[in-house]
Amino acid sequence: MDGVRAGDCYTTEDGVNHCGGSSSSYDSSSSSSDYGYTYTYGYTDPSAMVNAVSSWAERVEAARERQEALAMQRVQQEAVRLNQIGNDYLAKGDYDNAAEYYQQAYNTSPSDPVILNNLNMARGSQWNAAGIRYYEQSDWVNAVDAYQKALEL
């Protein structure tokens, strides 16, 4: 049969499959009859089909792993961005905003020890600043309480 492309399969009346010039035994999967030939679409060799499905599954798994890695990378980049904003606020002495951004960074990447350290440092600085305010107001009880909370972090 002229004009058969690689991957095009057909089965002659005598039950011989032809795929791209090669032949194999008869398989009745997904076929239709036209002008005395039975054309078979797909794989007629079960091992070829298994290999193709395995290869496809491996490609799908690799694509899924790449997507997961990219998603994790985006999450980590967002955590780094939020941590840097916290660093900027901390450098200005704005402990409340620093702690807020460090908390957001920690929520994004809770296993990052640097972010956790920065969050605790900002919270400690908040309590220390509160202790200083209480001390300046001669509110000794609240000053001691604030300093103790700062030390707990």
Side-chain angles (χ1 to χ4, degrees):
M1 182 170 192
D2 293 335
V4 175
R5 296 178 312 224
D8 286 346
C9 298
Y10 64 93
T11 304
T12 58
E13 294 277 328
D14 60 0
V16 176
N17 286 340
H18 300 273
C19 294
S22 65
S23 63
S24 63
S25 62
Y26 180 76
D27 184 337
S28 62
S29 64
S30 302
S31 61
S32 64
S33 181
D34 188 20
Y35 301 109
Y37 292 99
T38 302
Y39 297 94
T40 305
Y41 303 98
Y43 295 93
T44 57
D45 179 10
S47 64
M49 184 170 71
V50 168
N51 290 339
V53 169
S54 294
S55 175
W56 176 80
E58 289 170 3
R59 289 192 307 270
V60 168
E61 179 63 21
R64 186 189 61 75
E65 288 173 0
R66 283 192 303 275
Q67 286 177 336
E68 286 179 7
L70 288 173
M72 289 180 67
Q73 183 180 15
R74 284 190 295 271
V75 166
Q76 187 59 32
Q77 288 172 344
E78 178 65 5
V80 168
R81 184 186 74 80
L82 293 167
N83 188 66
Q84 185 56 51
I85 293 171
N87 289 344
D88 294 342
Y89 279 116
L90 188 68
K92 295 175 187 176
D94 187 346
Y95 306 121
D96 293 334
N97 279 321
E100 180 181 325
Y101 278 94
Y102 289 141
Q103 183 65 56
Q104 290 178 35
Y106 177 76
N107 292 344
T108 303
S109 183
S111 62
D112 188 321
V114 172
I115 292 173
L116 179 59
N117 183 61
N118 289 349
L119 175 59
N120 287 332
M121 183 175 51
R123 286 179 177 166
S125 296
Q126 285 177 304
W127 284 113
N128 189 55
I132 291 170
R133 283 192 305 273
Y134 289 129
Y135 178 82
E136 290 172 347
Q137 298 167 1
S138 299
D139 185 351
W140 314 120
V141 173
N142 283 327
V144 168
D145 186 47
Y147 289 135
Q148 286 177 338
K149 288 181 180 178
L151 290 173
E152 289 172 5
L153 297 172

